[in-house]
Amino acid sequence: FVAIIVKISIWPPSPSPSPPPPPPLCSQIPLDRPKFECPKCDTHERDVCIIYAPLSTEEFLIDGTGSDGSLNNYPCTHFTWEFAENHFVSSSTGFGEDNSSSSSTLHIITPDEQDVRRDSLLLTVSMEIRDEHTQALKWWTGKDCAMDVVFYKAPFIGIDLGTTYSCAAYQRPDINATSNKRDTEVVVLDAA
């Protein structure tokens, strides 16, 4: 008579390896292409966005995310401002040697009170997706926003309350290229 002894050992299953962590957000190509928009313009001249900056203030700002912060509000968004004049100063970041800033807001220190002028600037709003290990560029999209900032003196306003009629007159903020002066608009308030 032969006895067979079988030893059964139950080993717990080896734990499965945990899944790898997801790649960083700025390494993932977005499912929906972002729709970048330019900051709000005061007016347009020959398809150029015009923003008026009064000389009566010490600082003026242009925000690439809009007045309520909802414009261009995507993760991994970059803002690049390019300009030539030295009175553009950002309090958020420094500037490179090429006179550019990477802040979403451009703080402008207005020039001398007598220095009525117009300066051009370019805002590039972009998103770049890079490989998490090599940092190689995988995907890029962006929008360029060309703007002219017109520095102006606050216009004069006059009101005449007459017995026959009343009128108001005001100066336009921009300089007339022919007369080299600001045009005056007269508005009749009532006619008798």
Side-chain angles (χ1 to χ4, degrees):
F1 169 51
V2 177
I4 299 177
I5 299 176
V6 178
K7 181 178 178 185
I8 299 177
S9 299
I10 299 178
W11 296 95
S14 62
S16 61
S18 59
L25 186 60
C26 291
S27 293
Q28 301 175 40
I29 297 175
L31 298 176
D32 295 323
R33 184 183 184 103
K35 294 175 179 67
F36 294 127
E37 297 180 45
C38 294
K40 183 178 179 286
C41 303
D42 293 321
T43 189
H44 285 85
E45 286 180 11
R46 295 178 298 280
D47 294 328
V48 175
C49 170
I50 305 296
I51 297 177
Y52 291 111
L55 286 170
S56 58
T57 61
E58 289 182 17
E59 186 178 73
F60 181 79
L61 26 119
I62 302 172
D63 195 339
T65 61
S67 59
D68 62 356
S70 64
L71 194 66
N72 304 320
N73 189 15
Y74 300 100
C76 314
T77 301
H78 300 273
F79 298 88
T80 304
W81 299 88
E82 296 177 28
F83 43 84
E85 298 299 325
N86 61 4
H87 60 264
F88 290 109
V89 177
S90 171
S91 63
S92 303
T93 62
F95 295 105
E97 291 179 8
D98 60 349
N99 227 12
S100 66
S101 169
S102 60
S103 172
S104 67
T105 303
L106 184 68
H107 294 256
I108 300 173
I109 305 301
T110 55
D112 181 25
E113 184 71 30
Q114 301 302 316
D115 198 7
V116 175
R117 68 182 195 211
R118 180 184 204 134
D119 290 325
S120 297
L121 60 97
L122 176 69
L123 167 63
T124 302
V125 184
S126 64
M127 178 184 290
E128 58 184 43
I129 303 300
R130 296 190 171 272
D131 182 89
E132 66 180 301
H133 303 294
T134 65
Q135 295 303 310
L137 185 63
K138 293 186 341 186
W139 185 81
W140 185 93
T141 187
K143 180 174 183 140
D144 287 334
C145 303
M147 295 169 261
D148 278 3
V149 179
V150 176
F151 296 96
Y152 69 95
K153 292 181 184 178
F156 291 103
I157 298 174
I159 299 175
D160 178 17
L161 301 175
T163 55
T164 307
Y165 66 91
S166 299
C167 66
Y170 65 93
Q171 289 181 316
R172 305 282 305 165
D174 47 340
I175 304 292
N176 183 316
T178 306
S179 67
N180 206 23
K181 296 180 180 179
R182 290 190 284 182
D183 293 331
T184 301
E185 302 287 333
V186 177
V187 179
V188 176
L189 301 175
D190 62 4

